[in-house]
Amino acid sequence: MRFYLAVGAAVAALSSVPALAQTPPPAPPPAAPAKSWKDLIAVEGLADAYGSFRPGGSATAPATFRVFDAPTDTFSLAFAKLAIGIKPEPVGLRIDLGFGPVADITASSPGVEIWKNILQAYASFAIGGTTPMTLDVGKFVTAAGAEVIEAHANWNYSRSFLFGYAIPFTHTGLRLTVPLSSALTLQLMLANGWDNAIDNNAGKTLGLSGTYAASFGTTFILNFLAGPEPLGMTNPWRILIDAVASQTLANNLSLNVNFDYGHEDGATWWGLAGYARMPVTAMMNLSARAEVFQDLEGFRLSRPDNGMPIGKRTTVEELTVTAGFPMGNNAELRAEVRGDFSGSAVYAYEPGYMDLKKFQVTLTGAALVWF
């Protein structure tokens, strides 16, 4: 009897203890909303017009060795561009359509008329995890040089000799971009060559590019291009070494240095350009460029009257000062003074490559609008 009473008392005591509350399992994180095409797409546009005057020159004789702004004594629509891009998540694309004289200048060979309007067109594939590699397949602009085809993205309006003669504009092939760290990115390329939409030979150009953002604020870019460019019975290799270093100092003074060295079939060219840019006020900035370009065999520089190589050892220098006047965030007016110099008379002031001088000066005004 006592046993049963004890058990009953124990059961009653246990029943009076409140039950332990159960902790519910954590709720799953909310699913990320699916991205629509509107989240991945980007549209860009550009209109570039200018007027240029060369004192003492003929209106029918273009400024010598000027690739992008050769016409003088005239108003010109240089370039109009419309681009669309879709981020590779995991597949994307980029198409840049260009119109105007710049589209003719940067056109890839062979010269199919419609192709000149396709500045870039490539598919992109993201490969990997959180920091994926990107594979681009198609036509894309070169990684070489301190300047680009679109004038509004450059500090000066006119392009350097290096951009016009030392390096290519575009490539057609494969490009793999590999971010090794937050500071270092490598890029590998296999392409038809320089500015070839369809290759004119079986040789292919290999490209290697590295970008390193140092902790002290300097960015270094090194590009190496090499590949056989067979011509007739010969099989010469075309080699290019391109290096760019950039740094921003106090008072928002930005500096750039660009070096190029090229060699092909016994011909050698090299050049060095220095850039500086500083905002003077909220409504004005000043940019300057000084450079020297040497074409040892006259292989890269071409005559303005017929486009043929100049055919003799030539060294050209230039000094350019550009004032920019921003009009909001998507437009700018520019005024530029540029002097080109040489130790020999190579600048033509009359049609037919006549009246050669050792210097030329141009005054240019430009209007740039982009979005």
Side-chain angles (χ1 to χ4, degrees):
M1 187 65 177
R2 293 178 180 175
F3 172 77
Y4 291 110
L5 291 174
V7 172
V11 171
L14 290 175
S15 63
S16 64
V17 177
L20 296 176
Q22 294 185 351
T23 303
K35 291 184 178 180
S36 69
W37 66 270
K38 295 181 181 179
D39 301 316
L40 302 176
I41 196 169
V43 180
E44 301 174 12
L46 167 68
D48 170 4
Y50 75 98
S52 182
F53 173 65
R54 182 172 61 161
S58 169
T60 57
T64 310
F65 304 141
R66 298 291 188 80
V67 174
F68 287 83
D69 60 324
T72 58
D73 299 306
T74 180
F75 296 108
S76 301
L77 172 64
F79 198 36
K81 191 187 86 165
L82 183 63
I84 182 171
I86 299 178
K87 296 178 183 179
E89 293 189 4
V91 180
L93 62 84
R94 171 84 188 200
I95 299 176
D96 292 46
L97 301 178
F99 306 89
V102 170
D104 292 316
I105 294 166
T106 59
S108 300
S109 61
V112 179
E113 183 68 17
I114 189 66
W115 286 5
K116 74 178 184 181
N117 301 119
I118 304 175
L119 178 62
Q120 294 190 110
Y122 58 86
S124 295
F125 303 88
I127 306 171
T130 56
T131 56
M133 299 181 293
T134 303
L135 176 65
D136 299 321
V137 182
K139 180 184 177 183
F140 36 82
V141 296
T142 187
E147 302 174 21
V148 295
I149 293 171
E150 296 84 356
H152 76 284
N154 297 321
W155 294 353
N156 303 101
Y157 180 75
S158 65
R159 312 311 192 281
S160 62
F161 294 129
L162 297 187
F163 189 73
Y165 293 100
I167 66 174
F169 295 130
T170 62
H171 306 282
T172 298
L174 309 175
R175 179 177 65 182
L176 180 66
T177 302
V178 184
L180 298 181
S181 69
S182 60
L184 179 61
T185 299
L186 293 183
Q187 197 173 83
L188 300 174
M189 181 190 72
L190 184 65
N192 290 338
W194 292 30
D195 304 308
N196 289 328
I198 296 178
D199 212 343
N200 56 5
N201 57 75
K204 294 294 176 281
T205 291
L206 175 66
L208 176 61
S209 176
T211 301
Y212 177 68
S215 58
F216 47 85
T218 305
T219 299
F220 300 94
I221 302 174
L222 182 62
N223 296 287
F224 176 74
L225 300 176
E229 295 294 333
L231 297 172
M233 300 300 293
T234 63
N235 190 35
W237 275 64
R238 181 181 296 173
I239 297 173
L240 174 70
I241 299 173
D242 169 81
V244 178
S246 61
Q247 174 74 57
T248 299
L249 304 175
N251 300 321
N252 291 322
L253 173 62
S254 299
L255 302 176
N256 263 358
V257 177
N258 183 200
F259 171 78
D260 284 306
Y261 171 85
H263 181 83
E264 178 182 357
D265 198 22
T268 301
W269 62 94
W270 69 270
L272 179 67
Y275 305 77
R277 185 179 189 272
M278 184 176 68
V280 179
T281 68
M283 298 299 296
M284 179 181 177
N285 58 72
L286 285 177
S287 301
R289 178 183 62 219
E291 73 166 320
V292 57
F293 178 72
Q294 188 172 80
D295 189 0
L296 275 67
E297 286 75 33
F299 178 72
R300 295 296 296 174
L301 291 173
S302 57
R303 292 174 47 148
D305 58 335
N306 57 20
M308 299 298 293
I310 195 170
K312 63 179 181 179
R313 183 188 185 103
T314 303
T315 301
V316 290
E317 304 97 11
E318 61 100 354
L319 178 62
T320 302
V321 178
T322 308
F325 305 92
M327 311 291 289
N329 296 323
N330 301 94
E332 187 172 71
L333 301 178
R334 292 185 182 179
E336 182 171 285
V337 180
R338 172 169 169 168
D340 299 337
F341 312 94
S342 178
S344 56
V346 294
Y347 300 105
Y349 272 68
E350 296 293 337
Y353 213 59
M354 305 295 291
D355 188 22
L356 299 180
K357 299 183 184 298
K358 294 184 178 182
F359 67 91
Q360 66 180 0
V361 176
T362 54
L363 309 174
T364 303
L368 304 167
V369 180
W370 65 91
F371 64 87

